[in-house]
Every structure is written in C-alpha cells, then in structure tokens.
C-alpha cells in the first residue's frame, strides 16, 4: 500500500506566542518549529503499516522552506519520499485553500491511505481531514485511537464526546490520527544520515492544479483580521490552606456567592 | 434576508445540548438577518424530535430518517445537510464543534467550495457577513475571523458549552420537511458506539472540570477527585503528566495536546501549570488552583488558590459541597 502523510510544521508546544507587527500573524523570531504532535501519530502508524505490509510512505507538507527540516525529520524516521508545496508569496490561505493544494498534489501520487493528525497545534481549525476526503472523493475517519487492518478495509476506534465509535471504512481513504494511537519513534542515527542525502520535491500551486488567485487574497473565504493574546487574568485570591475544612468552606462560599458558578 | 440552517446532532434519539446551543445562536443570527431558521437532523426513527427544535425557534425542520442513518456516517449525514441546504438556501450554516460537527461541516463546506469559521467562541453577523473569535495555537492566542464576500455560503462551528441554549420567546412553526436522499454511498460507517463509564461527563462538553496533575501522585488518587466531581456535577480532567504516566486515558487530557476547554469552573489539583496546560484551560471563567507549591505557575492564572495538601483539601471540599446542597 502507498501511504501519504500530510503534516503541519508548527511552533513547538513550549513556544510563547507573540503577535507580529502586522497584528494578524505571530512573531516568528525565536520560534522553534516542529512536526505537529498529532501528525507524528499519523506518520508513526503509516510507517508501522508499511513495515508490516510493504509499500511506500510519502511525507507531504505545505509551507515555506523551513518546513524542509520537518520533511527531513519524517525521512529520518523512515518515510521514503518528501514533497513540499511552497507557500512563498501566497499570503493568507484559508483551510479550503490548503486542502485544495494538498488534494491537487495527492491526486498526482499513488495513494491507498492519506494520513494526518486530527489537528495541528497551530491555527487549529481541525477541518483538513474531512475537507481533503471530500476533495479527493474518499471516505474518512477522524480522531482515530486504534486501528485494525482487514483486506481492503480498516476498523477504527474513534474518540467522541463521552464514548467511542467503531468505524468500518473501505480503502482508499483518509485517516485522522489522535493521541493514543501509538508512541511515535525517534529517528535513528542511520535514518538521519540517510535522510540528508534524499531529495525533497518542491511543488508550486500550479503543480497542484490550483491557480493562486483562486485561494489567496480576496479569494480566501475565511480571513484572519486580528490576532491577540488572551486578556490578562486578575490576580489570584489566596485562601490559607492550613485548616483544610475552613479553607474548603471559604472556597465554596466564594464560588457560590462571589463567582456565582455553583 | 438570509436564512440560517443548523445541523442537529442526536445520540440514541436524544438531541445533544451542544446542538441546542448552536440552534439558539442560529435563532439570534436569523433575527439579525431577518431570515428564517431551519434545522436539519439525521438518524432513524427520529421524526418525533421536530417539536423540540421548533421550541428553540426552528421554522422548518429537515428530517433525514432512514435505517441507513441509524448510526453516524460522515457521508450520510453530510448528504442530509447538503440536501437541506439545497432546499432551504441558507447563507449561514452552523454545526456545533463536536466530533460529529467537525466531521460534517468541513465536508459540506468543501462540497460547496467554501471554508469554515471553526471552533468559534463568539459569532455575530453584520451586513450579511459573519465574524467570530476563536482560539489558535491551542489557546495561547485568539484570532478574529471573518467570512469574506466571496463566500456564497458561510459555515461556522461554534464551540460547545460557550453559547447558552434557551428556548425561543416565540416558537418556530417547526414544519417538518422529509428529505429524500436517494441511494447513499457510504464507505465509512459507525457500526457500534461504546459508551464511556456510566455517568462520565466528557471534558470537552463539561461546565465544570476537576483536573488532577502530577501532584495527585498516582492513579489510586482518582477516587478522591471523582468524589468531588460527583458532588459538583463536574467532569474529570487530567494533565499531560498524568496521562503520559499511564494513570488515565487520553480522553481526559486537557491542554495543548489534549482538549482545549472553557468551562465556567476549572479546579486544578496538583497541576503545576506548564505552558501547554495553561493554553488548554486559560479561557475558563473561574479557575481554582490547589497546590502545595506556592510558586507553581498555575496560581498566575487562578481566580482562587489554596496552597496546601490536596489530599486533605479535596475531601473537605467534597464535604463542604454536600453541605452547600443540603
């Protein structure tokens, strides 16, 4: 089977976010970039499946040249090919635009399973799995925590509010991974060395069959108009904890009468 | 005049509260656009749910009722939403940002060639265009988003538990329109739902959350937290440290690699407050921190704090909560 793993290259989860001078994007100075943790689960599952049943794994991302470091990380862990759709000069592209670019390139590659995490930890729209499936005319299952392979199909466990759904899906299809599916591996030294020699294929929107003017600028349907940090919270009201019963009673009274949340 | 259509989610024939929140929001938007409010619901044996939707203001209820739709399928339920949209011609479509809503709304949007205002915590309409605010970078920042003029249909997924659900002052007509979806091609289908432990509330939908971190010392401490959850009607949350240590399942995890939550009350017990955790719960209305370390970063975001031993304070809180109710 041929696997394509899409990933977002996002600020490290340790990063303190600062707003850039334009007021709609983050200040990228001092930001360390990583493959989004959820996409790592997708990559790991694709690699495990390839190791068990054969085939290839292609890592695919949309972004600027720095994302090549993320692609090399995927290669070092065991991906066979790496493809980047260059975002240079496009400006704001909404989720549908990203889905159209990814789908356009995926259509040019052999694919039995398209993978990604259920969300990035960047812009967090959590819409790409269903959008990509729709544009590729494939079924999908998202929020997958456990997978079993059957002939030409999968059985997936999917995390929903307060329950778990068991989903049967025929292949080809799109799978959205979430935490719990596996423990992603680290790259081996041998893998890191081998990855350095591999060529990253850089594609343009035209390669994806997408005219930039149809996804960027006024063509983007959802636009960011202002990025802000959350408002500062009031200073904490501390209750002495040396008498637990007294502290508990005081806290509950405050929650009921002052904060009015009980 | 522009119509508002709301996708309604039901489980076991019961409408989800998050859908009633979306419908209430839809009702207020439809008043501002002088349009009609429609609701669409899919399932099997569910046509009796229309009057409840009318009570929340729906003038028309589109019902896709067939055995094929008894359990969720993204393809089947999206077909229902798509058919209702064709019949009702809305300019605004809402679905709560639940696992199901996040499946159906983006598929529908991609079919109609538009994007989604995803996971919005506020939503308004002016001059026919919707604008909202949503958390990004897992809650470390928030962004104002707007649907551009180029979007012929505007799709948004309001975050559960942020918008109120309230019946309309004037009920809608609730005229039932049965949708004929023809033969459905369903390639991915739920075959079974396994409910979590009875009575367990999911952190993503909870109005109150009691979370345990590394400071609870081990899984044997959960009963102490659960007892307080039961008294308060709260969901049980866990920090990444507690989940990664194997003390509890990931579905309980709050934070950047777990769920981003915004309950009215968040009680953090033995949680130090790593940046990833603060991102995931920082928009809670009231935050309580209980920690023996007065320097723990969690106190910087807390509304109320108790510096002390959680193993003494939590049982005392459970007792105090019982008395409060009595």
């Amino acid at each position: 089977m041929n696997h394509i793993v899409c990933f977002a290259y996002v600020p490290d989860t340790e990063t303190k976010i600062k707003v850039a001078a334009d007021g709609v994007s983050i200040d990228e100075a001092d930001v360390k970039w990583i493959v989004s943790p959820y996409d790592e689960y997708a990559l790991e599952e694709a690699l495990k499946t390839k190791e068990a049943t054969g085939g290839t794994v292609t890592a695919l991302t949309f972004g600027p040249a720095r994302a090549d470091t993320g692609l090399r990380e995927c290669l070092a862990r065991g991906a066979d090919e790496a493809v980047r759709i260059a975002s240079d000069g496009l400006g704001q592209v909404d989720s549908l635009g990203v889905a159209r670019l990814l789908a356009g390139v995926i259509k040019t590659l052999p694919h039995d399973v398209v993978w990604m995490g259920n969300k990035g930890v960047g812009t967090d729209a959590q819409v790409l799995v269903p959008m990509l499936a729709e544009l590729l005319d494939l079924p999908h299952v998202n929020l997958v925590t456990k997978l079993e392979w059957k002939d030409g199909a999968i059985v997936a466990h999917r995390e929903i509010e307060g329950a778990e759904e068991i989903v049967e899906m025929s292949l080809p299809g799109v799978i959205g991974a979430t935490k719990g599916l596996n423990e992603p591996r680290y790259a081996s030294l041998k893998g890191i060395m081998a990855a350095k020699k591999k060529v990253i294929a850089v594609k343009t929107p035209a390669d994806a069959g997408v005219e930039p003017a149809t996804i960027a600028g006024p063509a983007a349907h959802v636009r960011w108009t202002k990025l802000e940090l959350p408002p500062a919270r009031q200073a904490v009201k501390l209750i002495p904890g040396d008498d637990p019963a007294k502290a508990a009673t005081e806290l509950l009274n405050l929650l009921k009468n002052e904060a009015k949340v009980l | 005049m522009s119509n508002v259509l709301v996708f309604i989610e039901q489980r076991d024939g019961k409408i989800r509260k998050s859908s009633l929140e979306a419908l209430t929001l839809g009702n207020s938007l439809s008043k501002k656009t002088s349009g009609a409010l429609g609701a669409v619901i899919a399932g099997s044996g569910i046509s009796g749910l229309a009057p409840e939707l009318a009570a929340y203001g729906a003038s028309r209820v589109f019902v896709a009722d067939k055995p094929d739709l008894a359990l969720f399928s993204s393809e089947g339920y999206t077909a229902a939403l798509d058919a209702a949209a064709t019949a009702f011609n809305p300019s605004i479509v809402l679905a709560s940002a639940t696992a199901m809503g996040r499946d159906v709304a983006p598929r529908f949007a991609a079919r109609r060639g538009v994007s989604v205002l995803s996971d919005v915590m506020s939503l308004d309409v002016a001059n026919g265009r919707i604008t909202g605010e949503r958390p990004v970078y897992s809650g470390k920042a928030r962004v104002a988003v707007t649907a551009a003029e180029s979007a012929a249909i505007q799709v948004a997924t309001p975050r559960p538990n942020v918008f109120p659900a309230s019946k309309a002052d004037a009920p809608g007509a609730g005229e039932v329109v049965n949708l004929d979806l023809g033969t459905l091609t369903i390639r991915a289908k739920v075959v079974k739902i396994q409910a979590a432990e009875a009575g367990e509330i999911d952190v993503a939908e909870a109005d109150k959350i009691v979370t345990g971190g590394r400071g609870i010392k081990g899984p044997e401490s959960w009963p102490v937290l659960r007892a307080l959850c039961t008294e308060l009607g709260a969901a049980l949350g866990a920090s990444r440290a507690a989940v990664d240590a194997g003390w509890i399942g990931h579905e309980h995890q709050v934070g950047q690699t777990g769920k981003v939550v915004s309950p009215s009350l968040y009680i953090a017990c033995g949680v130090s407050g790593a940046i990833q955790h603060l991102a995931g719960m920082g928009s809670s209305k009231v935050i309580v921190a209980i920690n023996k370390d007065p320097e723990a970063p969690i106190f910087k975001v807390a509304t109320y704090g108790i510096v002390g031993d959680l193993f003494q304070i939590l049982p005392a809180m459970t007792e105090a909560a019982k008395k409060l109710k009595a």
Side-chain angles (χ1 to χ4, degrees):
Chain A
M1 281 194 297
N2 294 302
H3 304 269
I4 297 178
V5 181
C6 306
F7 72 90
Y9 203 53
V10 296
D12 188 324
T13 57
E14 295 278 349
T15 305
K16 194 157 188 274
I17 295 294
K18 285 179 269 182
V19 179
D22 67 1
V24 289
S25 60
I26 60 164
D27 180 350
E28 297 184 355
D30 306 324
V31 171
K32 184 185 163 224
W33 300 85
I34 57 165
V35 174
S36 176
Y38 291 88
D39 297 329
E40 289 188 298
Y41 302 122
L43 174 66
E44 178 63 31
E45 204 65 16
L47 291 173
K48 272 168 56 182
T49 310
K50 178 191 88 163
E51 284 156 8
T53 61
T56 62
V57 172
T58 301
L60 171 65
T61 193
F62 165 66
R66 65 165 174 254
D68 287 353
T69 312
L71 286 164
R72 297 239 179 254
E73 173 67 30
C74 297
L75 290 168
R77 291 191 201 185
D80 302 282
E81 309 279 343
V83 181
R84 176 168 63 88
I85 307 166
S87 63
D88 311 73
L90 283 178
Q92 269 195 43
V93 176
D94 65 21
S95 302
L96 182 74
V98 176
R100 285 181 59 199
L101 290 165
L102 294 172
V105 167
I106 291 168
K107 280 178 185 165
T108 68
L109 302 167
H111 58 276
D112 299 293
V113 189
V114 177
W115 301 82
M116 71 176 77
N118 79 293
K119 60 175 177 182
V121 293
T123 58
D124 285 359
Q126 302 184 46
V127 296
L128 279 181
V129 171
M131 279 189 169
L132 201 50
E134 179 67 24
L135 297 178
L136 292 168
D137 189 19
L138 292 177
H140 78 269
V141 55
N142 205 355
L143 296 162
V144 174
T145 55
K146 191 176 165 193
L147 260 184
E148 292 155 42
W149 296 85
K150 282 183 164 179
D151 199 23
I154 58 160
V155 178
H157 293 232
R158 158 180 154 85
E159 189 181 292
I160 64 167
E161 294 78 16
E164 187 180 60
E165 288 177 339
I166 315 298
V167 181
E168 284 183 9
M169 181 175 88
S170 63
L171 296 175
V174 182
I175 299 175
T178 197
K179 186 166 181 176
L181 183 58
N182 53 45
E183 279 297 322
R185 70 191 66 190
Y186 293 101
S188 66
L189 186 61
K190 193 174 150 218
I192 294 168
M193 298 311 287
K196 284 185 180 165
K197 294 185 202 129
K198 293 211 169 149
V199 176
I200 291 170
V202 179
K203 308 273 187 188
T204 62
D207 295 325
V210 176
E211 169 60 44
T214 65
I215 54 168
H221 295 130
V222 172
R223 234 168 282 156
W224 288 25
T225 54
K226 191 178 187 192
L227 184 68
E228 285 180 302
L229 299 183
R233 299 189 71 102
Q234 280 189 335
V236 61
K237 190 180 264 188
L238 278 181
I239 301 160
D242 31 354
D243 181 344
K246 194 164 160 249
T249 306
E250 187 179 345
L251 174 64
L252 277 128
N253 282 334
L254 286 167
L255 292 176
K256 186 177 163 74
N257 301 319
E258 186 178 82
K260 302 194 189 323
V261 289
L262 289 184
Chain B
M1 196 193 94
S2 51
N3 293 345
V4 179
L5 179 65
V6 181
F7 174 81
I8 302 295
E9 179 177 346
Q10 53 83 24
R11 200 186 289 174
D12 301 328
K14 196 171 177 308
I15 295 168
R16 306 284 292 170
K17 178 171 165 277
S18 52
S19 289
L20 296 176
E21 294 163 9
L23 192 56
T24 304
L25 174 64
N27 194 25
S28 87
L29 295 180
S30 71
K31 291 211 172 86
K32 290 178 188 170
T33 61
S34 311
L37 178 68
V40 51
I41 188 162
S44 180
I46 42 124
S47 49
L49 297 174
E52 188 176 352
L53 300 172
Y56 283 80
S59 65
R60 267 200 269 177
V61 179
F62 297 89
V63 179
D65 193 336
K66 53 201 270 148
D68 286 13
L69 299 173
L71 288 171
F72 174 63
S73 68
S74 185
E75 291 160 296
Y77 282 39
T78 304
L81 173 56
D82 196 55
T86 300
F88 194 58
N89 198 24
S91 69
I92 299 168
V93 172
L94 305 179
S96 183
T98 58
M100 190 188 289
R102 287 177 190 282
D103 241 39
V104 168
R107 229 184 216 278
F108 167 76
R111 193 167 298 180
R112 296 300 180 108
V114 296
S115 200
V116 179
L117 276 76
S118 183
D119 201 22
V120 288
M121 300 180 72
S122 68
L123 194 67
D124 207 349
V125 62
N127 303 318
R129 295 286 105 189
I130 56 172
T131 57
E133 266 195 316
R134 67 180 192 83
V136 287
Y137 301 99
S138 302
K140 289 179 191 167
R142 57 185 63 187
V143 68
V145 287
T146 186
E149 294 291 338
S150 52
I153 190 162
Q154 307 169 82
V155 183
T157 57
R159 171 183 282 213
N161 205 33
V162 168
F163 298 89
S166 57
K167 288 189 176 157
D169 297 336
E175 178 204 340
V176 172
V177 182
N178 287 304
L179 295 170
D180 178 13
L181 303 182
T183 311
L184 290 166
T185 305
I186 295 176
R187 297 164 292 182
K189 185 173 178 31
V190 174
V191 292
K192 195 172 150 194
I193 297 186
Q194 292 171 182
E197 254 175 78
E200 187 106 53
I201 306 167
D202 192 89
V203 288
E205 292 188 314
D207 185 48
K208 301 184 186 79
I209 299 174
V210 177
T211 289
R214 204 190 299 273
I216 71 158
K217 296 202 171 105
E220 63 280 1
S221 305
W222 293 122
V224 180
L225 280 79
R226 282 190 196 273
L228 182 60
C229 286
T230 305
E231 275 321 305
L232 298 178
L236 182 66
S239 73
R240 179 178 170 172
V243 171
D244 285 357
W247 298 349
I248 200 164
H250 168 249
E251 65 275 14
H252 291 274
Q253 188 181 328
V254 173
Q256 187 158 14
T257 50
K259 285 169 182 144
V260 178
V261 298
S262 35
S264 62
L265 175 61
Y266 189 90
I267 303 179
C269 313
V271 174
S272 64
I275 184 169
Q276 296 92 337
H277 192 82
L278 300 182
M281 44 64 82
S283 64
S284 306
K285 190 174 155 219
V286 172
I287 296 169
V288 174
I290 300 163
N291 203 300
K292 63 176 198 271
D293 174 12
E295 302 299 319
I298 190 77
F299 286 113
K300 292 205 169 61
V301 300
T303 324
Y304 304 109
I306 302 181
V307 179
D309 179 3
L310 66 92
F311 295 102
Q312 291 184 23
I313 290 160
L314 290 182
M317 282 173 67
T318 305
E319 281 309 307
K322 271 186 195 152
K323 278 187 203 147
L324 209 59
K325 279 205 295 195

